[in-house]
Amino acid sequence: MGIEQKAGDMGIVTASLEQVVNWSRSNAMWPLLFGLACCAIEMMGAQSANYDLSRFGMEINRASPRQADLMIVAGRVSRKMAPVVRRLYDQMADPKWVIAMGDCAACGGVFNNYAIVQGVDEIVPVDVYVAGCPPRPEALIDGIIHLHEKVRRMRLDGTLREPVHLS
Amino acid sequence: MTVTETRARNLSIPAPSQITRPALEGAKETMVLNMGPHHPSTHGVLRLVVELDGETVVDTAPDIGYLHTGIEKTMESKTYQKAVVLTDRTDYLAPLSNNLSYVLAVEKLLGCEIPERATVARVLLVELQRIASHLVWLGTHALDLAAMSVFLYGFREREQILDIFELVSGARMMTSYFRVGGLAYDLPAEFDAAVEAFLQIMPGRIDEYEALLTDNPLWIERTQGIGAIDSDAAIALGLTGPGLRATGVAWDLRKTMPYCGYETYSFAIPTATHGDIYDRYLVRMAEMRESVSICRQALQRLRDIGPGPYMTPDRKIAPPPKSEITHSMEALIHHFKLWTEGFKPPRGDALAAVESPRGELATYIVSDGSAKPYRVHFRAPSFVNLQSLPHMARGHLVADLVALIASLDPVLGEVDR
């Protein structure tokens, strides 16, 4: 926040509560350990040594939805899986965010058929869509950084202070 | 607390078997436990309904279909060329093996010959795919048994293979590189050096993984004697791939029913005797070494063959090169017909089986003489292998079930399709 210079050695930091809350929320975001299909393999790739998602503080996956803030829907959601995904989302504590990773989660992808939910936004609200089939690990990391950006611009009531412009 | 007191207390803690054995004696009441579809160790969206007697598994019923994608049905509405894209997404850890099985079946229907260079490239890439798939298996298997570092090392080498795939096809995972009649594009100039660099480092890296696991007492404790199956039961349950070979049956389609000229390569079929998780691990590790050797032979053959055609010259199947279209009317017509209608194989059916990293993968296609397949069916090894899970799990602990699923290496995309 660049406050160290302003505060000097007084041991006092001044910031708005909103800024502090958003700073902590965006820097300690725990994704749900949750993979569905091909995209989950690329998500694992993003967490492995070459792409090292922990640079952004995102490596601690929680297996329990109760401990997670972020659901990365990585892969196609079938009609049979849809109620499970919704239930997991409902079990997550507020505030929570969703990234639709890959074309299937975003819009059904190549599977325009009876079996696949045509976009996970039919069942859960989505904050960031990541395109690709599957997206490269860099694309997922980019999506996560955009989400962090979004969280930093939120009001305490959860609404957005200003629209997020993609650079 | 003094040291002697601490030691005395530690000695008084009973071993797990001391707790479970008396508890099980005369026990009749069982508990049904739901595991999945959201569970970190089910490698996707597998759901197991486990009947437990205390901690011991009495019975397991896999509930599948959470990733049912309708791939077989969707393929019926695509032309033969376009359906290749869907095959990538069944077994997403080995897209090239799926591509190969599918294009071999269509080529059988058409009776089309493909250039030698394309066949050798296919073998080379499919073997690289086998190594990549086994690396994901190794990483996640070790991760399930709480060994994080193997995952990080395994994915390091996997990235190198994915870079090679990206080089040849432009995509890391969903390559769709094998097309009916040959390859999508020619192999790029950098291909040779990239594969050579990988083959140089890989044997040493496999030694590294083995140094981490093979003699590791924790690994041995969790895997030896767990989930054993004998060869008769394995054959009766239709188990194929490393699971079957770990029971001592040297059944590998690359040797027993060769395709793509595998009979001309020299390689061994690694087998083991106990059929437990540890043996499956050993078989897969040995398979990676054999794959490196096949890759090396294939790379040498590519060098010997030199540049040349990578697609069948049959213009009814393969699209003409762009340069021809600009000045040949006939080429333009072929191009137009291929991309608007597609080619029409004769009526009939064809089956092509390949040895995928998980076992026997076969594609069965029925043609009604139109440009779209009448029916496509995959004999998916993950799906068939999964039915031996209840047999293997019986009598073991719930914690062993986690290791057992990982050792079968199911890919749910392939199970449910």
Side-chain angles (χ1 to χ4, degrees), chain A residues 33-34 36-38 41-42 44 48 50-51 63 76 78 80-81 88 111 113-116 133-134 136-137, chain B residues 38 40 45 63-71 74 86 89 92-93 140 155 158-159 166 172-174 413:
Chain A
L33 179 53
F34 177 54
L36 290 170
C38 336
I41 309 296
E42 283 296 61
M44 277 155 61
S48 68
N50 285 38
Y51 295 97
R76 44 199 191 236
S78 70
K80 187 171 176 178
M81 193 63 192
L88 285 169
F111 303 113
N113 61 22
Y114 64 93
I116 293 297
C133 188
R136 304 173 59 91
Chain B
H38 165 67
V45 287
D63 177 11
I64 59 169
Y66 285 97
L67 200 58
H68 176 62
T69 316
I71 288 178
T74 306
L86 293 169
R89 288 154 181 84
Y92 41 79
L93 289 183
T140 51
F155 265 64
R158 182 171 180 270
E159 286 295 332
E166 193 174 6
R172 281 158 54 87
M173 277 172 70
M174 303 305 161

Side-chain angles (χ1 to χ4, degrees), chain A:
Chain A
M1 279 176 277
I3 44 178
E4 295 86 350
Q5 291 89 346
K6 287 180 189 166
D9 56 357
M10 292 190 294
I12 300 169
V13 166
T14 50
S16 74
L17 179 63
E18 209 168 72
Q19 266 180 315
V20 175
V21 167
N22 286 346
W23 169 76
S24 58
R25 278 178 180 170
S26 61
N27 280 299
M29 201 176 261
W30 287 1
L32 180 64
L33 179 53
F34 177 54
L36 290 170
C38 336
C39 288
I41 309 296
E42 283 296 61
M43 191 164 75
M44 277 155 61
Q47 285 158 355
S48 68
N50 285 38
Y51 295 97
D52 197 11
L53 205 50
S54 55
R55 287 178 294 163
F56 307 99
M58 297 290 296
E59 83 283 15
I60 307 179
N61 282 323
R62 306 314 299 184
S64 161
R66 296 285 187 211
Q67 301 167 343
D69 325 290
L70 168 64
M71 177 191 247
I72 302 177
V73 184
R76 44 199 191 236
V77 180
S78 70
R79 300 257 171 229
K80 187 171 176 178
M81 193 63 192
V84 183
V85 174
R86 178 68 214 193
R87 187 160 185 185
L88 285 169
Y89 177 78
D90 288 341
Q91 284 175 338
M92 284 162 65
D94 275 326
K96 52 192 170 187
W97 296 276
V98 177
I99 291 181
M101 181 186 181
D103 290 349
C104 293
C107 65
V110 292
F111 303 113
N112 185 6
N113 61 22
Y114 64 93
I116 293 297
V117 175
Q118 300 297 302
V120 75
D121 49 9
E122 284 184 17
I123 47 171
V124 291
V126 176
D127 293 280
V128 174
Y129 298 88
V130 181
C133 188
R136 304 173 59 91
E138 291 102 324
L140 176 64
I141 292 171
D142 185 53
I144 287 172
I145 291 172
H146 274 128
L147 182 69
H148 286 176
E149 201 110 302
K150 187 177 176 180
V151 171
R152 286 197 199 108
R153 286 163 199 236
M154 277 173 81
R155 290 197 184 89
L156 284 178
D157 65 359
T159 56
L160 266 183
R161 184 164 288 283
E162 54 196 294
V164 179
H165 295 290
L166 303 183
S167 48

